Amino acid sequence: MIAKSTIQDLPEPLREPITKMQFIINSYLAGLGFIHMDTSRSPSYRDNHLLSYLVQDLLQSAVSILTLGTEGLVNVARREVRFILEATIKLCFVQQKEYHLSIREKIEKFDVELKSQRISVNRELDLHFLPDEWRQLFIEECGRIYGLTSSYVHLTPAQLNERIAAVDAGRTSGKESQEDLEDLNLLVARGLAASLVLLFHSVPQHVAGDFLVDVNGDAPQWYFAGSRFIAAIDSQFDYKHERQSRLHEIQALRNSKVFF
Protein backbone atom coordinates (compact mmCIF):
# COMPACT_ATOMS: atom_id res chain seq x y z
CA MET A 1 0.00 0.00 0.00
CA ILE A 2 1.37 3.42 -0.96
CA ALA A 3 1.69 5.78 1.99
CA LYS A 4 -0.24 9.03 1.74
CA SER A 5 1.82 12.19 1.98
CA THR A 6 0.94 15.02 4.35
CA ILE A 7 1.64 18.71 3.88
CA GLN A 8 4.35 18.43 6.55
CA ASP A 9 6.09 15.72 4.50
CA LEU A 10 6.53 18.05 1.53
CA PRO A 11 9.63 20.11 0.77
CA GLU A 12 9.35 23.66 2.06
CA PRO A 13 8.72 25.30 -1.39
CA LEU A 14 5.71 23.03 -1.97
CA ARG A 15 4.00 23.53 1.37
CA GLU A 16 2.67 27.00 0.61
CA PRO A 17 0.87 26.12 -2.67
CA ILE A 18 -0.54 22.91 -1.18
CA THR A 19 -1.74 24.79 1.91
CA LYS A 20 -3.41 27.28 -0.42
CA MET A 21 -4.96 24.41 -2.39
CA GLN A 22 -6.38 23.00 0.83
CA PHE A 23 -7.95 26.38 1.59
CA ILE A 24 -9.45 26.61 -1.92
CA ILE A 25 -10.93 23.10 -1.68
CA ASN A 26 -12.33 23.68 1.82
CA SER A 27 -13.92 26.92 0.63
CA TYR A 28 -15.57 25.09 -2.26
CA LEU A 29 -16.83 22.38 0.08
CA ALA A 30 -18.28 25.03 2.40
CA GLY A 31 -20.26 26.52 -0.50
CA LEU A 32 -21.28 23.13 -1.87
CA GLY A 33 -22.37 21.94 1.57
CA PHE A 34 -24.48 25.02 2.20
CA ILE A 35 -26.17 24.85 -1.20
CA HIS A 36 -26.93 21.15 -0.62
CA MET A 37 -28.28 21.62 2.90
CA ASP A 38 -30.28 24.80 2.22
CA THR A 39 -31.92 23.30 -0.88
CA SER A 40 -32.65 20.06 0.98
CA ARG A 41 -35.16 21.92 3.14
CA SER A 42 -37.58 21.38 0.26
CA PRO A 43 -39.51 18.11 0.74
CA SER A 44 -39.08 17.33 -2.98
CA TYR A 45 -35.29 17.75 -3.00
CA ARG A 46 -34.41 14.07 -2.75
CA ASP A 47 -36.89 13.09 -5.46
CA ASN A 48 -36.42 15.95 -7.92
CA HIS A 49 -32.96 17.49 -7.66
CA LEU A 50 -29.89 15.83 -9.20
CA LEU A 51 -27.68 17.56 -6.63
CA SER A 52 -29.15 15.42 -3.86
CA TYR A 53 -27.09 12.56 -5.28
CA LEU A 54 -24.44 14.30 -7.40
CA VAL A 55 -23.19 16.17 -4.32
CA GLN A 56 -21.32 12.96 -3.40
CA ASP A 57 -19.39 12.95 -6.68
CA LEU A 58 -18.59 16.65 -6.45
CA LEU A 59 -17.31 16.17 -2.91
CA GLN A 60 -15.16 13.19 -3.92
CA SER A 61 -13.66 15.00 -6.90
CA ALA A 62 -12.91 18.13 -4.89
CA VAL A 63 -11.21 16.19 -2.10
CA SER A 64 -9.29 14.09 -4.64
CA ILE A 65 -7.83 17.24 -6.21
CA LEU A 66 -6.05 18.01 -2.95
CA THR A 67 -4.90 14.41 -2.53
CA LEU A 68 -3.63 14.26 -6.10
CA GLY A 69 -1.90 17.63 -5.84
CA THR A 70 -0.18 16.61 -2.60
CA GLU A 71 1.11 13.44 -4.26
CA GLY A 72 2.31 15.36 -7.32
CA LEU A 73 -0.30 13.91 -9.70
CA VAL A 74 -1.02 17.27 -11.25
CA ASN A 75 -2.49 16.19 -14.59
CA VAL A 76 -4.91 13.80 -12.92
CA ALA A 77 -6.05 16.66 -10.68
CA ARG A 78 -6.77 18.72 -13.79
CA ARG A 79 -9.07 15.94 -15.03
CA GLU A 80 -11.09 16.18 -11.82
CA VAL A 81 -11.59 19.91 -12.43
CA ARG A 82 -13.02 19.00 -15.83
CA PHE A 83 -15.45 16.51 -14.29
CA ILE A 84 -16.69 19.05 -11.73
CA LEU A 85 -17.25 21.71 -14.37
CA GLU A 86 -18.94 19.35 -16.84
CA ALA A 87 -21.13 17.84 -14.12
CA THR A 88 -22.36 21.17 -12.81
CA ILE A 89 -23.06 22.54 -16.31
CA LYS A 90 -25.25 19.50 -17.02
CA LEU A 91 -26.82 19.63 -13.57
CA CYS A 92 -27.75 23.29 -14.03
CA PHE A 93 -29.08 22.70 -17.54
CA VAL A 94 -31.30 19.78 -16.55
CA GLN A 95 -32.64 21.42 -13.38
CA GLN A 96 -33.47 24.64 -15.18
CA LYS A 97 -35.23 22.86 -18.02
CA GLU A 98 -37.37 20.52 -15.92
CA TYR A 99 -36.96 21.33 -12.23
CA HIS A 100 -39.98 19.39 -11.04
CA LEU A 101 -39.51 16.15 -12.96
CA SER A 102 -38.37 13.20 -10.89
CA ILE A 103 -34.68 12.31 -11.08
CA ARG A 104 -35.46 9.15 -13.05
CA GLU A 105 -37.56 11.14 -15.53
CA LYS A 106 -34.75 13.68 -15.90
CA ILE A 107 -32.20 10.95 -16.67
CA GLU A 108 -34.47 9.49 -19.32
CA LYS A 109 -35.49 12.82 -20.90
CA PHE A 110 -31.95 14.25 -21.04
CA ASP A 111 -30.15 11.04 -21.90
CA VAL A 112 -28.44 12.57 -24.96
CA GLU A 113 -27.27 15.71 -23.15
CA LEU A 114 -26.02 13.78 -20.13
CA LYS A 115 -24.03 11.33 -22.27
CA SER A 116 -22.50 14.00 -24.49
CA GLN A 117 -18.90 15.07 -23.92
CA ARG A 118 -19.79 18.54 -25.20
CA ILE A 119 -20.82 21.42 -22.96
CA SER A 120 -22.64 23.46 -25.60
CA VAL A 121 -25.77 23.34 -23.39
CA ASN A 122 -24.13 26.04 -21.27
CA ARG A 123 -25.28 28.52 -23.92
CA GLU A 124 -28.88 27.67 -23.05
CA LEU A 125 -28.53 28.39 -19.35
CA ASP A 126 -30.51 31.15 -17.66
CA LEU A 127 -27.72 33.04 -15.87
CA HIS A 128 -30.15 35.36 -14.11
CA PHE A 129 -27.84 36.15 -11.19
CA LEU A 130 -25.20 37.61 -13.49
CA PRO A 131 -25.62 41.12 -14.92
CA ASP A 132 -26.20 41.06 -18.68
CA GLU A 133 -22.64 42.13 -19.49
CA TRP A 134 -21.19 39.25 -17.45
CA ARG A 135 -23.15 36.37 -18.98
CA GLN A 136 -21.19 35.91 -22.20
CA LEU A 137 -17.95 36.38 -20.26
CA PHE A 138 -18.95 33.52 -17.98
CA ILE A 139 -19.87 31.23 -20.87
CA GLU A 140 -16.48 31.96 -22.43
CA GLU A 141 -14.73 31.30 -19.12
CA CYS A 142 -16.41 27.88 -18.87
CA GLY A 143 -15.31 27.11 -22.43
CA ARG A 144 -11.70 28.07 -21.70
CA ILE A 145 -11.52 26.01 -18.51
CA TYR A 146 -13.15 23.04 -20.19
CA GLY A 147 -10.76 23.26 -23.12
CA LEU A 148 -7.71 23.48 -20.84
CA THR A 149 -8.76 20.52 -18.73
CA SER A 150 -9.99 18.41 -21.66
CA SER A 151 -6.48 18.38 -23.09
CA TYR A 152 -5.50 16.17 -20.14
CA VAL A 153 -8.34 13.65 -20.57
CA HIS A 154 -7.30 12.39 -24.01
CA LEU A 155 -3.74 12.01 -25.22
CA THR A 156 -2.80 14.94 -27.46
CA PRO A 157 0.43 16.21 -29.05
CA ALA A 158 0.32 19.24 -26.72
CA GLN A 159 0.10 17.00 -23.67
CA LEU A 160 2.92 14.80 -24.97
CA ASN A 161 5.19 17.78 -25.59
CA GLU A 162 4.42 19.15 -22.14
CA ARG A 163 5.21 15.80 -20.54
CA ILE A 164 8.46 15.42 -22.50
CA ALA A 165 9.61 18.87 -21.36
CA ALA A 166 8.68 18.12 -17.73
CA VAL A 167 10.44 14.73 -17.62
CA ASP A 168 13.54 16.11 -19.32
CA ALA A 169 13.62 18.81 -16.64
CA GLY A 170 13.39 16.15 -13.89
CA ARG A 171 9.77 16.92 -13.01
CA THR A 172 8.35 13.40 -12.94
CA SER A 173 5.29 12.35 -10.93
CA GLY A 174 5.88 13.18 -7.29
CA LYS A 175 8.62 15.65 -8.17
CA GLU A 176 6.43 18.56 -9.22
CA SER A 177 7.69 22.11 -8.95
CA GLN A 178 6.24 25.00 -6.98
CA GLU A 179 5.27 26.58 -10.30
CA ASP A 180 3.37 23.41 -11.31
CA LEU A 181 1.28 23.61 -8.14
CA GLU A 182 0.70 27.35 -8.41
CA ASP A 183 -0.56 26.88 -11.98
CA LEU A 184 -2.82 24.07 -10.77
CA ASN A 185 -4.18 26.28 -7.98
CA LEU A 186 -5.18 28.96 -10.47
CA LEU A 187 -6.99 26.41 -12.64
CA VAL A 188 -8.69 24.82 -9.62
CA ALA A 189 -9.84 28.22 -8.35
CA ARG A 190 -11.32 29.18 -11.72
CA GLY A 191 -12.97 25.79 -12.23
CA LEU A 192 -14.51 25.62 -8.76
CA ALA A 193 -15.71 29.23 -8.93
CA ALA A 194 -17.49 28.42 -12.20
CA SER A 195 -19.00 25.33 -10.56
CA LEU A 196 -20.37 27.42 -7.69
CA VAL A 197 -21.89 29.94 -10.10
CA LEU A 198 -23.65 27.07 -11.86
CA LEU A 199 -24.80 25.51 -8.60
CA PHE A 200 -26.35 28.80 -7.45
CA HIS A 201 -28.25 28.90 -10.75
CA SER A 202 -29.51 25.32 -10.35
CA VAL A 203 -31.34 25.84 -7.04
CA PRO A 204 -34.09 28.18 -5.79
CA GLN A 205 -33.02 31.84 -5.83
CA HIS A 206 -33.15 32.25 -2.07
CA VAL A 207 -30.21 29.86 -1.60
CA ALA A 208 -27.63 32.28 -3.02
CA GLY A 209 -29.05 35.11 -0.94
CA ASP A 210 -29.04 32.98 2.21
CA PHE A 211 -25.36 32.19 1.70
CA LEU A 212 -24.05 35.53 0.47
CA VAL A 213 -25.94 37.98 2.70
CA ASP A 214 -25.45 37.86 6.47
CA VAL A 215 -27.90 39.38 8.93
CA ASN A 216 -25.88 42.63 8.92
CA GLY A 217 -25.57 42.62 5.12
CA ASP A 218 -22.00 41.35 4.98
CA ALA A 219 -20.88 38.67 2.55
CA PRO A 220 -19.08 35.62 4.01
CA GLN A 221 -15.32 35.63 4.61
CA TRP A 222 -14.73 33.21 1.78
CA TYR A 223 -11.99 32.48 -0.75
CA PHE A 224 -14.44 32.64 -3.64
CA ALA A 225 -15.38 36.21 -2.79
CA GLY A 226 -12.26 36.82 -4.88
CA SER A 227 -14.00 35.54 -8.04
CA ARG A 228 -15.31 38.28 -10.30
CA PHE A 229 -18.29 36.10 -11.16
CA ILE A 230 -19.21 35.38 -7.53
CA ALA A 231 -18.81 39.10 -6.80
CA ALA A 232 -21.18 39.85 -9.69
CA ILE A 233 -23.76 37.49 -8.17
CA ASP A 234 -23.28 39.07 -4.75
CA SER A 235 -23.98 42.51 -6.24
CA GLN A 236 -27.46 41.35 -7.25
CA PHE A 237 -28.40 41.26 -3.57
CA ASP A 238 -27.55 44.90 -2.89
CA TYR A 239 -31.28 45.63 -2.89
CA LYS A 240 -31.69 43.75 0.39
CA HIS A 241 -32.72 45.79 3.44
CA GLU A 242 -29.78 44.42 5.44
CA ARG A 243 -27.35 46.23 3.12
CA GLN A 244 -28.96 49.62 2.66
CA SER A 245 -27.40 51.43 5.62
CA ARG A 246 -23.86 50.30 4.64
CA LEU A 247 -24.22 49.80 0.91
CA HIS A 248 -21.23 51.89 -0.24
CA GLU A 249 -18.99 50.24 2.36
CA ILE A 250 -20.13 46.75 1.32
CA GLN A 251 -19.66 47.52 -2.38
CA ALA A 252 -16.15 48.90 -1.83
CA LEU A 253 -15.16 45.89 0.26
CA ARG A 254 -16.55 43.49 -2.35
CA ASN A 255 -14.61 45.17 -5.15
CA SER A 256 -11.40 45.13 -3.11
CA LYS A 257 -11.58 41.34 -2.68
CA VAL A 258 -11.76 40.42 -6.39
CA PHE A 259 -8.50 39.03 -7.74
CA PHE A 260 -9.43 36.39 -10.34
Side-chain angles (χ1 to χ4, degrees):
M1 182 176 179
I2 299 175
K4 180 182 176 182
S5 301
T6 65
I7 294 177
Q8 290 70 32
D9 295 329
L10 297 173
E12 184 65 33
L14 304 185
R15 291 179 192 170
E16 182 178 348
I18 289 296
T19 299
K20 181 178 179 180
M21 187 184 299
Q22 184 178 51
F23 185 60
I24 295 170
I25 296 300
N26 285 342
S27 296
Y28 177 74
L29 294 178
L32 173 65
F34 183 92
I35 293 167
H36 167 59
M37 294 301 295
D38 205 34
T39 311
S40 71
R41 293 188 298 170
S42 168
S44 64
Y45 178 64
R46 183 78 181 265
D47 295 327
N48 299 104
H49 208 297
L50 291 174
L51 183 61
S52 65
Y53 292 97
L54 188 57
V55 64
Q56 301 298 324
D57 293 286
L58 297 176
L59 186 155
Q60 288 181 23
S61 287
V63 171
S64 72
I65 289 170
L66 178 60
T67 302
L68 293 164
T70 303
E71 298 296 341
L73 307 178
V74 175
N75 283 358
V76 188
R78 291 184 175 112
R79 294 169 197 157
E80 293 300 326
V81 176
R82 180 188 187 270
F83 171 80
I84 290 173
L85 179 61
E86 179 183 344
T88 45
I89 286 173
K90 292 178 177 179
L91 164 69
C92 186
F93 172 77
V94 170
Q95 287 299 140
Q96 286 190 350
K97 289 294 185 182
E98 295 287 359
Y99 197 95
H100 297 292
L101 285 185
S102 71
I103 290 173
R104 181 54 54 193
E105 289 172 326
K106 285 182 170 76
I107 293 172
E108 292 175 356
K109 180 167 183 175
F110 297 102
D111 176 77
V112 172
E113 291 85 356
L114 291 170
K115 286 192 299 190
S116 174
Q117 294 183 5
R118 299 175 181 269
I119 59 164
S120 55
V121 294
N122 72 335
R123 297 187 176 277
E124 299 183 43
L125 299 178
D126 175 12
L127 300 172
H128 50 269
F129 280 133
L130 293 176
D132 291 346
E133 65 271 21
W134 285 94
R135 294 174 188 175
Q136 184 59 35
L137 292 174
F138 179 73
I139 291 169
E140 292 171 358
E141 171 75 347
C142 288
R144 282 191 291 267
I145 297 167
Y146 194 72
L148 285 169
T149 53
S150 292
S151 65
Y152 296 94
V153 174
H154 308 290
L155 191 63
T156 63
Q159 185 185 153
L160 275 171
N161 287 328
E162 183 180 296
R163 176 56 66 201
I164 289 168
V167 171
D168 287 349
R171 291 170 20 239
T172 54
S173 297
K175 295 182 180 179
E176 70 287 358
S177 69
Q178 183 176 359
E179 183 180 15
D180 290 333
L181 292 176
E182 289 171 348
D183 287 345
L184 176 61
N185 277 343
L186 178 57
L187 179 65
V188 169
R190 291 171 61 196
L192 297 188
S195 174
L196 288 163
V197 170
L198 293 159
L199 287 170
F200 280 135
H201 282 93
S202 77
V203 295
Q205 293 193 23
H206 70 83
V207 177
D210 289 349
F211 184 76
L212 294 172
V213 184
D214 205 345
V215 290
N216 64 354
D218 286 339
Q221 296 299 315
W222 191 39
Y223 177 84
F224 290 100
S227 162
R228 65 193 188 279
F229 297 111
I230 295 294
I233 292 177
D234 183 77
S235 72
Q236 299 304 292
F237 295 99
D238 284 350
Y239 71 87
K240 282 184 169 284
H241 172 75
E242 297 93 324
R243 290 190 166 175
Q244 294 310 299
S245 63
R246 300 172 49 239
L247 185 56
H248 293 303
E249 175 191 347
I250 289 169
Q251 290 173 334
L253 181 60
R254 178 172 62 229
N255 292 337
S256 72
K257 291 179 180 178
V258 174
F259 67 96
F260 73 98

